[in-house]
Amino acid sequence: MSVSSSRNLKIGIIGFGPFAQFLSKTMIRQGHILRAASRTDYSNLCAQMGISFFRNVDEFLEAENDVILICTSILSLSEVLRSLPLDRLKRPTLFADVLSVKEHPRNVLLQVYIHKEFDVLCTHPMFGPESGKDGWKDLTLMYERVRIRDEAICSSFLQIFESEGCRMLEMSCEEHDKMAARSQFITHTIGRILSEMEIQSTSIDTKGFERLVQLLENLELAFNKVKQKLVVKKNEKHI
Amino acid sequence: MSVSSSRNLKIGIIGFGPFAQFLSKTMIRQGHILRAASRTDYSNLCAQMGISFFRNVDEFLEAENDVILICTSILSLSEVLRSLPLDRLKRPTLFADVLSVKEHPRNVLLQVYIHKEFDVLCTHPMFGPESGKDGWKDLTLMYERVRIRDEAICSSFLQIFESEGCRMLEMSCEEHDKMAARSQFITHTIGRILSEMEIQSTSIDTKGFERLVQLLENLELAFNKVKQKLVVKKNEKHI
């Protein structure tokens, strides 16, 4: 598929953790206008990045976003979406998510917004702050156009990834989860084992062992993120 | 350490499986003269490579080797060494091994050859047919000079690796095994799990999952070797 049309979008990001921050840098560089809301106060960081940070979710929704980009954790998704005062939205809006599972957000989005005229795009960037630190070229964006009426907005959003050289992979959420259940389960299980063992490079590494050290490096940020969230969860309320 | 002196060696290889074949290609290219003995009949392969293959171990030992290079499996090492008619050796000889554990072959070599005037060099090339397929540059050769009297022969043997650009790492067999017990145990345990799961690249690989697929590729030849040996063991006698 070719996505050629493009325009600057107003993108409201819900959940401004490390993954949202990582995506934001590229979106800002491309000229999109970003807003963010998060249970943690990221107002200083957002000010530095040129992003409007909203502590008040009503004001966030009234800010006329073309896209609401959901970057919450998997665990908090349902609670966050159900708590949003959707009647504050002033216009038809594309709801997109970037969660690493896909059937769950698709089902929640269709349930919560069943009577609304909102579009739904489910995506999974198969990369993150570590693997995408030198650009997104040849990295994969998986997506399903779950319910798209406004083609222009959807195309412009996908163009964010396509213009960076991502491999665009259209795939159903079901198929994604079936594949990922196998590959991601074993990746993260092994990653946790290596992390608990605190394995480190030695002077007699084989290439095989180096792969394990590299795996841990690839997953390190994800682990830090989990640790941060566990700490944050104790101290902060959901938005 | 710098190993500068070098001469062409007559090297007799015991055990001519995939790893010995892999090392032989480089040794032949460097101009060394190779002979081989193995429980499996490799006479055709050896003829193609320009290596003298001996079915008779007495003749193999009488062939005036500067170095006897032990490339047997860990399991058969002790049996093979004890069965060698060492009185057939015509001259002082350097016994070197390349096994992936080091205390065991060092102890066996010192026990078997305790009353003999034979030198002992224990080595572990931290690479193999897969990781070393494009050359040995920057790959590590671990070694311990266990009992060296003939410096010229030992230097010439180490020079095989140094001249290919290997990282030369002098380390005791004890220290090697302590480090490797941790790194190689987890590498091969995980490799076996992935092999049993028959994991394969998917269209939505993350970088983390790619590392696991690469690990399996790194270990694949080792697994094939194990499988071959299990088959061979049923059909062939030890030399």
Side-chain angles (χ1 to χ4, degrees), chain A residues 175-239:
Chain A
E175 196 181 348
H176 170 280
D177 284 3
K178 195 174 166 186
M179 277 192 188
R182 193 169 153 87
S183 63
Q184 290 307 296
F185 171 77
I186 192 67
T187 303
H188 285 268
T189 301
I190 289 174
R192 294 291 167 117
I193 293 169
L194 300 177
S195 179
E196 288 297 318
M197 286 179 68
E198 296 179 351
I199 68 156
Q200 288 184 325
S201 203
T202 72
S203 58
I204 54 167
D205 287 0
T206 55
K207 289 287 163 192
F209 185 66
E210 274 178 22
R211 299 300 186 197
L212 295 182
V213 175
Q214 290 163 345
L215 168 63
L216 199 55
E217 284 165 4
N218 283 134
L219 299 179
E220 199 68 59
L221 279 166
F223 286 114
N224 290 342
K225 194 171 151 185
V226 169
K227 285 177 202 159
Q228 280 173 7
K229 281 196 175 165
L230 290 174
V231 173
V232 166
K233 212 165 187 175
K234 290 176 187 164
N235 305 323
E236 304 266 347
K237 288 180 185 173
H238 287 252
I239 57 168

Side-chain angles (χ1 to χ4, degrees), chain A residues 17 22 24 91 99 101 147 154 167 178 199 227-228:
Chain A
F22 162 69
S24 295
R91 59 159 97 172
L99 271 54
V101 296
R147 187 175 65 199
C154 179
R167 188 174 143 259
K178 195 174 166 186
I199 68 156
K227 285 177 202 159
Q228 280 173 7

